[in-house]
Amino acid sequence: MRPRALEWSVDNCTIGRTMAILGERWTIVVLREVFNGIFRFDDMRVRTGIPRQVLTNRLGVLVDNGILRRVPYREPGSRGRDEYRLTEKGFDLYPLLVAVREWGDRYLADPGGPPLRTVHRGCGADVHATLVCERGHLDIAPRDVVPQPGPGAIRREQSPVS
């Protein structure tokens, strides 16, 4: 039986569009640093070892896409520079980073355990990324989720499969 997904185009896929922005390794590392409170270029470069030009490019992509914004600052006796702060669009990526961290903790952590926890400021309990539906069902298993065409789906023209 032919998968139903083959009936629909992926030309306007939002996952593909998202990965065009976030899909390079250093981009996620930059976001990790900003979410951890590292806002300045030199601090990011020293902490991560990202080559200067790569960091410049990644920050530029994130600013151009409205995920980060530049905020000028000046240390006494120095020239003006920019910090990189999250926009609302950027903050909306936090669940993605939590999910990536959780996956890494489960499959890639050192024997001593993961190097970072994300906790609820209000009570100190660990924070997790979970699937929920609009009707309030919590912690839905991935195998209980079914992809369906959305309002922007474009049906492909039928062509014979070789």
Side-chain angles (χ1 to χ4, degrees), residues 101-131:
R101 183 198 48 77
E102 285 187 296
W103 186 90
D105 289 354
R106 183 172 185 174
Y107 296 106
L108 304 172
D110 291 341
L116 178 72
R117 292 174 56 218
T118 48
V119 298
H120 181 212
R121 185 186 310 269
C123 71
D126 287 339
V127 171
H128 299 282
T130 59
L131 296 174

Side-chain angles (χ1 to χ4, degrees), residues 33-97:
E33 295 306 305
V34 174
F35 276 112
N36 285 330
I38 309 298
F39 306 119
R40 296 182 177 181
F41 184 95
D42 288 336
D43 293 338
M44 282 184 220
R45 195 173 58 73
V46 168
R47 182 169 152 92
T48 64
I50 300 174
R52 180 176 292 280
Q53 190 58 51
V54 172
L55 180 55
T56 298
N57 292 344
R58 296 307 165 259
L59 288 167
V61 165
L62 292 168
V63 168
D64 290 348
N65 283 280
I67 295 166
L68 296 178
R69 62 186 168 86
R70 288 182 174 94
V71 177
Y73 76 94
R74 172 177 258 146
E75 294 285 342
S78 298
R79 65 180 175 84
R81 296 178 180 232
D82 292 324
E83 290 186 337
Y84 296 88
R85 299 294 183 130
L86 292 158
T87 62
E88 284 304 309
K89 188 175 179 179
F91 276 110
D92 283 347
L93 287 168
Y94 196 63
L96 172 72
L97 266 67

